[in-house]
Amino acid sequence: MVSLREVCGIIIFRWVPLIVLLCVSARAVDRSNFKTCEQSAFCKRQRELKPGRSPYRALLDTLELSDSRITLQLINDNNKVRLLLELYRLQGNMTRVKINELKPLKPRYEVPDVLISDPITETLSVVSQDENSLVLSLGGKDQRLIVSAQPFRLDIVEGPQVLVSLNSRGLLAFEHLRARKDTSISHKISSTVGSMWDSLKKEEDKPGMWEETFKSHTDSKPNGPSSISLDFSLPGVEHVYGIPEHADTLKLKNTDGSDPYRLYNLDVFQYELHNPMALYGAVPVLISHSTDRTMGIFWLNAAETWVDISSNTAGKMMFGKILDFVQVSSEAPQTDVRWISESGIIDVFIMLGPKPADVFTQYASLTGTQSFPPLTALAYHQCRWNYNDQEDVKSVDQGFDEHDIPYDFIWLDIEHADGKRYFTWDPSKFPQPKEMLQGLMDKRRKLVAIVDPHIRVDNGYKIHNEILSKNFYVKNKDGGDYEGWCWPGNSGYPDFTNPEMRAWWASKFAYEQYEGSMENQYVWNDMNEPSVFNGPEVTMHKDALHGGWEHRDVHNLYGLYVQKATADGLVERSGGVERPFVLTRAFFAGSQRYGAVWTGDNAAEWGHLKISIPMCLSLGLAGISFCGADVGGFFKHPSAELLVRWYQAGAYQPFFRAHAHIDTPRREPWLFGPENTALIREAIRQRYALLPYWYQLFYNAHRTGYPVVRPLWVEYPNDVATFSIEDEYLIGKDLLVHPVTDEGATAVTAYLPGKGEVWYDVHTFQKHDGEQSLYIPVTMSSIPVFQRGGSIICRKDRVRRSSSCMENDPYTLYAALNSQGSAEGELYIDDFHTFNFEKAKQFVHRHLSFSANTLSSRNLAPDSQFSTASWIEKIVIIGGSQPSSATLKNAESALEFEFDSTLAVLTLRKPGVNAAADWTVILR
């Protein structure tokens, strides 16, 4: 959805007609509505601090050592404020560093509910100590954590190599909580702490410390300055990734001379490309990669955050005890990263890899893995703002059947509700919602209805009255219910940080509470940054209150909590049986546990199609695999060529949904002429045929935390040529996709990685060697996709009108042989929609392998129990040779086969074995 700025003429006239005359339809984001670092007082203050000698000193005589952690105090020699440093060695090759005030005036916010549990600690031991340093053992592989006392600095080394340094540039800055000058509390503190207070009073009061105004909005800042900053140096590193969400390149750019990357969930409509501006979600996870090592930094802070990236050389900042352990070339590259947050504490997890897979596992152990969606959620979704009424839904549904195009979900936007009162239906447009839902269910299809977290202030609205009576609304700085403008007009905002509020919200999805809903209705949470049309930067005032905490402390968590409460509601309404599907626009670290995200209000422009690839790859690196972009672009009207190319690209992204703005012409797939309808149909059918592979990858992502779509360097970490590639990617490790994203393209150049490997065009079966840039002529029907030699991919080539109709259909196995003549893969099957795969071990997980002319299926989960009606219909072996016979060993029966000598493709027909069975095919 879009914010007020673009559609003010649509909604404000209902209340204030004169404002319509002042409203214009914007063509792109109005950057003046959003702060730069220079306009953000705390960012400006912190950035004015330049690299140099740190005022912080470690007081080694305060060292305390326990089984789980080491603590010691730091002192700022300029103002004498003391901090508490906590160091933890965590299971799985991670180190946690926490820094807080030793004695704050009041507690500082520490982020709850993001970590799935308290991380398991391992023993830290002191190796050596002298007057200016402390050396700790991090366990195996000669890893050490070196604490330098003056100036304070941390270095993690492994053998002779520095892995990461903290505060090596002296940019640690911790704004202590303080009483405002000339207040009664300040006089009381002065008389109590004496000389230290005198030092504090000498600190300059800079603009924006105690009050800050942006445009017409004033932030009262009752707690004064509270920002924090810490720098990290990564020797030997030139490539860093992550910290989504930004409409920018996959490889993070140097921010010297420009704004830092901003992490602050905002409703930014029709956003600019190649810009570090904040967007809808924020995941404070940065991944570094070199040929030597992959590592990650997870900055656990939910306040507004800025991240600076700069290039350096590694030898410049080495001194003191560190030189006893390492020798670093002064010419070695180095990337420096600085995190700046407005409030909270420093709580950072350093994930030491060393391989990409290790970092994914480490991060998943902290924040959880991607939720395992029902199969239907991986199919095609049809959406627009808005389908007008029940007849419109029925007509669109019939249109897909008439044009033989499969789809699983149709979506309803805000106009479906009665006066934008969520959990209701417009009585004139949707008078019989269950009848509509039943009609979809009869075709084994489903519906998504939007439920946003702004609640119309209306005494005749049950939801509002209940929230009001339970005192569940966010409060303003004066203690009254916070109100702002959003789609319904004047709206209240439920306090989703309150677990009682979340439990109540979840209960509203029960069928008896959400009248008209059925089991084939799912939910979409939009505008949950939260979006406040008349708020500062189109969001909530920072001095609003969530219980005892300010909104500034929790802002980036709000969207996560909304999605969590909604997902919990969908699970609860089924008695804990059914897996939910919830789409969210705002997100944070850990949001992967609750559903899918999309890239927000994009536009029907070629640049937005291109940028969807690095945006989703960045999200995958940060744990959120279930990502997609609005196919066709939300704003504007795509040309037929752009629409076709976007369907072709979207069919190979995890979340596959077309969506459009209310002011755009209708763009159902059959409205652009028969030729384009056929091209779109074919792209969607390719998606459905590959659903078994997508489903298996999401199962593995749920188990391991490994991203479903991934940059090439993840699988080819030593191939420098892959480090900056962002116009192609891998689905799993076995499919490489290079969508066509240029207008009028007649060719693309795809890089096929892997020295000694082979790749096969999935459409023609043509074989290509790895480690080459391949020139590929393309037409409008081309979707360049390649299967890795050495892999077996399972497909369902009988495409029906929805994925649910295909559940028991047979599988076709595509075995692409490597240069050694072998291949392997997996097949995963369950009931496709419940938690029984987890709770009752009801699933099938098979290992498929081809070697020495023998193809076999072996059970990977002998303790699981599940039966399936699906069978193996066909086996296609690509890159093989012609046999004289093919025998199914189980039945000692000969199989029909044919061999295409031109393409070296062998097709075995009708093995007829159950997909859950052990079986072997022998070629002679």
Side-chain angles (χ1 to χ4, degrees):
M1 299 292 290
V2 62
S3 75
L4 178 67
R5 299 180 306 283
E6 197 274 341
V7 291
C8 53
I10 296 175
I11 67 169
I12 294 185
F13 76 89
R14 299 177 186 176
W15 301 280
V16 191
L18 292 178
I19 295 180
V20 175
L21 300 176
L22 304 177
C23 292
V24 293
S25 178
R27 296 296 179 186
V29 62
D30 182 355
R31 294 182 63 178
S32 70
N33 284 316
F34 303 100
K35 290 182 181 179
T36 63
C37 180
E38 184 72 14
Q39 294 169 314
S40 175
F42 81 91
C43 184
K44 181 180 180 181
R45 286 197 306 275
Q46 291 281 6
R47 237 187 174 195
E48 287 173 349
L49 177 65
K50 301 303 180 184
R53 186 175 179 84
S54 175
Y56 289 93
R57 173 165 51 95
L59 303 176
L60 298 183
D61 59 349
T62 64
L63 173 70
E64 294 185 12
L65 175 64
S66 69
D67 290 339
S68 62
R69 68 172 184 170
I70 282 179
T71 66
L72 55 86
Q73 294 177 26
L74 309 179
I75 189 170
N76 183 328
D77 283 328
N78 290 342
N79 60 23
K80 309 308 178 186
V81 172
R82 293 197 178 197
L83 307 177
L84 179 67
L85 169 70
E86 301 175 63
L87 300 174
Y88 300 81
R89 175 187 166 202
L90 303 183
Q91 188 178 83
N93 202 20
M94 294 180 287
T95 299
R96 185 179 191 179
V97 179
K98 294 181 72 174
I99 303 176
N100 197 354
E101 292 186 58
L102 181 64
K103 296 180 179 179
L105 281 182
K106 59 182 293 186
R108 298 179 69 116
Y109 190 70
E110 299 188 38
V111 176
D113 300 320
V114 168
L115 302 180
I116 55 175
S117 62
D118 290 333
I120 299 173
T121 59
E122 296 180 338
T123 302
L124 270 171
S125 58
V126 176
V127 175
S128 64
Q129 182 177 356
D130 58 30
E131 68 278 1
N132 196 49
S133 65
L134 173 68
V135 180
L136 307 170
S137 172
L138 292 177
K141 293 190 176 180
D142 203 24
Q143 284 188 356
R144 300 287 186 265
L145 174 57
I146 302 170
V147 182
S148 299
Q150 189 169 14
F152 166 66
R153 168 187 175 136
L154 295 176
D155 293 277
I156 297 177
V157 304
E158 184 175 280
Q161 182 182 11
V162 179
L163 302 183
V164 60
S165 302
L166 285 66
N167 201 37
S168 65
R169 302 174 71 215
L171 295 174
L172 168 63
F174 209 104
E175 293 186 329
H176 57 280
L177 298 178
R178 67 201 78 178
R180 195 163 188 169
K181 294 178 182 179
D182 301 321
T183 63
S184 58
I185 188 172
S186 72
H187 292 303
K188 182 177 181 181
I189 294 173
S190 176
S191 62
T192 303
V193 298
S195 61
M196 186 184 82
W197 183 245
D198 292 336
S199 298
L200 297 182
K201 287 195 294 183
K202 292 177 183 177
E203 290 189 350
E204 179 186 2
D205 270 350
K206 295 183 179 180
M209 278 187 164
W210 294 96
E211 186 176 271
E212 182 175 359
T213 298
F214 179 67
K215 303 190 82 168
S216 62
H217 301 282
T218 297
D219 177 3
S220 63
K221 294 194 174 181
N223 295 312
S226 58
S227 68
I228 56 176
S229 169
L230 183 60
D231 63 281
F232 299 75
S233 294
L234 300 162
V237 170
E238 294 181 273
H239 294 79
V240 290
Y241 312 88
I243 57 169
E245 181 180 37
H246 301 96
D248 209 348
T249 54
L250 176 64
K251 176 182 179 290
L252 297 175
K253 296 174 181 174
N254 190 315
T255 60
D256 290 342
S258 65
D259 255 13
Y261 286 96
R262 191 183 188 198
L263 296 172
Y264 189 60
N265 295 357
L266 292 172
D267 177 3
V268 184
F269 85 106
Q270 201 170 329
Y271 44 83
E272 287 185 9
L273 307 184
H274 303 292
N275 193 307
M277 287 176 66
L279 290 180
Y280 311 96
V283 185
V285 174
L286 181 139
I287 308 292
S288 70
H289 178 70
S290 69
T291 54
D292 294 328
R293 195 177 199 98
T294 306
M295 295 191 299
I297 298 172
F298 173 31
W299 178 266
L300 183 53
N301 190 295
E304 179 186 348
T305 297
W306 300 78
V307 185
D308 257 323
I309 313 288
S310 57
S311 300
N312 210 329
T313 51
K316 286 184 178 179
M317 305 303 293
M318 297 295 178
F319 56 84
K321 190 69 175 181
I322 187 69
L323 295 178
D324 295 345
F325 288 84
V326 301
Q327 290 183 340
V328 180
S329 167
S330 61
E331 301 303 317
Q334 175 172 295
T335 295
D336 296 320
V337 180
R338 184 187 185 191
W339 300 79
I340 303 169
S341 292
E342 184 173 16
S343 64
I345 69 165
I346 293 173
D347 189 0
V348 62
F349 297 81
I350 302 168
M351 300 170 285
L352 295 171
K355 297 178 181 179
D358 298 320
V359 174
F360 301 140
T361 300
Q362 289 157 0
Y363 182 63
S365 73
L366 297 172
T367 67
T369 61
Q370 176 65 58
S371 62
F372 189 25
L375 175 67
T376 56
L378 301 178
Y380 174 63
H381 301 249
Q382 182 67 35
C383 183
R384 77 171 278 111
W385 175 26
N386 202 88
Y387 285 117
N388 300 323
D389 50 33
Q390 283 184 221
E391 285 304 311
D392 198 9
V393 170
K394 183 177 181 180
S395 175
V396 172
D397 176 68
Q398 290 174 341
F400 277 90
D401 292 336
E402 291 167 3
H403 294 89
D404 194 25
I405 301 174
Y407 91 100
D408 272 58
F409 280 87
I410 191 165
W411 291 52
L412 296 179
D413 212 315
I414 56 176
E415 312 300 333
H416 85 277
D418 182 11
K420 300 179 180 63
R421 299 173 182 88
Y422 305 111
F423 298 99
T424 71
W425 302 86
D426 187 304
S428 60
K429 296 177 180 178
F430 296 92
Q432 300 293 333
K434 285 192 174 182
E435 178 183 300
M436 174 182 64
L437 287 163
Q438 187 61 53
L440 293 170
M441 185 179 290
D442 291 343
K443 294 183 177 181
R444 306 191 73 180
R445 288 173 175 152
K446 298 170 176 61
L447 179 140
V448 170
I450 199 166
V451 178
D452 286 349
H454 49 261
I455 302 301
R456 180 167 175 166
V457 176
D458 178 354
N459 291 335
Y461 180 22
K462 177 183 175 182
I463 295 293
H464 165 69
N465 289 335
E466 287 193 34
I467 297 174
L468 195 65
S469 68
K470 295 177 182 294
N471 200 29
F472 280 162
Y473 278 124
V474 176
K475 306 302 178 186
N476 61 36
K477 65 184 177 64
D478 299 316
D481 287 340
Y482 179 90
E483 293 181 0
W485 285 75
C486 210
W487 294 120
N490 196 35
S491 302
Y493 290 79
D495 185 1
F496 284 90
T497 68
N498 181 346
E500 293 181 8
M501 163 62 211
R502 295 199 300 272
W504 174 86
W505 180 269
S507 74
K508 296 296 104 179
F509 291 95
Y511 299 122
E512 66 273 14
Q513 292 287 331
Y514 191 166
E515 294 182 11
S517 66
M518 290 176 57
E519 58 267 32
N520 65 329
Q521 179 184 332
Y522 295 80
V523 181
W524 165 24
N525 296 144
D526 196 3
M527 316 299 286
N528 55 334
E529 292 75 26
S531 181
V532 183
F533 291 161
N534 61 336
E537 300 193 89
V538 201
T539 194
M540 189 172 286
H541 293 72
K542 287 182 175 179
D543 53 10
L545 296 173
H546 301 259
W549 300 107
E550 287 188 284
H551 185 71
R552 82 182 71 251
D553 299 312
V554 307
H555 176 85
N556 287 342
L557 274 176
Y558 192 85
L560 176 147
Y561 278 136
V562 175
Q563 188 186 26
K564 170 179 166 50
T566 303
D568 288 348
L570 297 191
V571 173
E572 289 171 13
R573 75 177 186 181
S574 72
V577 172
E578 298 290 329
R579 285 178 255 163
F581 170 67
V582 180
L583 179 72
T584 181
R585 191 171 71 176
F587 50 84
F588 188 65
S591 287
Q592 67 269 15
R593 305 197 297 265
Y594 306 115
V597 307
W598 91 105
T599 61
D601 295 343
N602 59 2
E605 298 172 357
W606 290 93
H608 279 266
L609 168 58
K610 284 177 182 286
I611 209 73
S612 69
I613 298 173
M615 288 182 77
C616 278
L617 290 177
S618 294
L619 279 160
L621 292 175
I624 301 177
S625 275
F626 205 177
C627 167
D630 287 345
V631 169
F634 179 66
F635 287 105
K636 304 184 179 180
H637 187 53
S639 66
E641 179 189 7
L642 176 57
L643 185 66
V644 168
R645 291 302 192 199
W646 215 319
Y647 268 100
Q648 292 171 341
Y652 288 90
Q653 291 184 346
F655 177 55
F656 184 24
R657 181 186 75 154
H659 187 34
H661 188 279
I662 194 170
D663 289 338
T664 62
R666 295 290 284 257
R667 61 167 87 143
E668 282 73 43
W670 52 86
L671 297 179
F672 288 74
E675 183 177 339
N676 292 311
T677 298
L679 293 170
I680 293 172
R681 178 191 300 116
E682 174 57 24
I684 296 175
R685 288 176 66 87
Q686 287 185 33
R687 171 56 165 241
Y688 275 73
L690 276 171
L691 282 176
Y693 184 61
W694 284 106
Y695 196 60
Q696 170 223 313
L697 291 174
F698 268 90
Y699 173 70
N700 286 336
H702 179 64
R703 289 174 57 242
T704 68
Y706 219 73
V708 170
V709 296
R710 55 197 74 155
L712 272 60
W713 63 260
V714 167
E715 295 296 334
Y716 299 89
N718 297 315
D719 187 347
V720 177
T722 66
F723 290 4
S724 296
I725 290 177
E726 63 178 25
D727 57 356
E728 65 184 68
Y729 55 94
L730 294 166
I731 304 174
K733 66 179 187 296
D734 295 332
L735 282 183
L736 185 151
V737 185
H738 191 301
V740 181
T741 58
D742 287 314
E743 185 176 11
T746 58
V748 299
T749 299
Y751 181 73
L752 303 181
K755 186 176 182 179
E757 292 199 17
V758 294
W759 294 86
Y760 298 89
D761 186 312
V762 300
H763 309 296
T764 67
F765 301 132
Q766 187 173 353
K767 180 180 177 181
H768 304 281
D769 291 331
E771 205 172 58
Q772 68 155 319
S773 294
L774 181 68
Y775 179 83
I776 308 165
V778 297
T779 66
M780 279 304 298
S781 64
S782 302
I783 314 176
V785 183
F786 300 87
Q787 183 174 344
R788 186 181 61 83
S791 66
I792 300 175
I793 289 178
C794 302
R795 296 166 45 121
K796 286 191 174 183
D797 288 338
R798 299 186 187 184
V799 176
R800 304 185 190 274
R801 66 186 176 197
S802 75
S803 66
S804 296
C805 295
M806 299 166 59
E807 287 179 357
N808 294 318
D809 282 353
Y811 291 88
T812 296
L813 311 185
Y814 287 80
L817 304 188
N818 59 21
S819 55
Q820 290 78 44
S822 62
E824 62 179 354
E826 296 178 30
L827 173 61
Y828 178 83
I829 306 170
D830 59 19
D831 63 20
F832 302 115
H833 61 95
T834 76
F835 287 105
N836 289 343
F837 77 98
E838 220 162 35
K839 294 181 177 178
K841 291 191 174 182
Q842 294 181 3
F843 63 91
V844 171
H845 196 190
R846 310 292 302 181
H847 179 261
L848 307 169
S849 64
F850 182 89
S851 181
N853 287 325
T854 300
L855 178 65
S856 62
S857 173
R858 176 174 58 86
N859 194 357
L860 285 173
D863 58 341
S864 67
Q865 299 293 324
F866 188 73
S867 60
T868 176
S870 295
W871 51 287
I872 308 302
E873 179 178 39
K874 186 167 61 174
I875 299 169
V876 180
I877 300 174
I878 310 163
S881 56
Q882 183 171 2
S884 58
S885 66
T887 304
L888 180 64
K889 184 177 179 182
N890 307 52
E892 297 298 332
S893 59
L895 298 179
E896 298 177 11
F897 67 88
E898 60 185 46
F899 183 74
D900 185 328
S901 58
T902 304
L903 296 173
V905 174
L906 173 66
T907 303
L908 308 177
R909 301 192 181 280
K910 298 181 180 178
V913 290
N914 186 274
D918 291 337
W919 53 266
T920 302
V921 171
I922 300 174
L923 306 179
R924 291 188 174 88

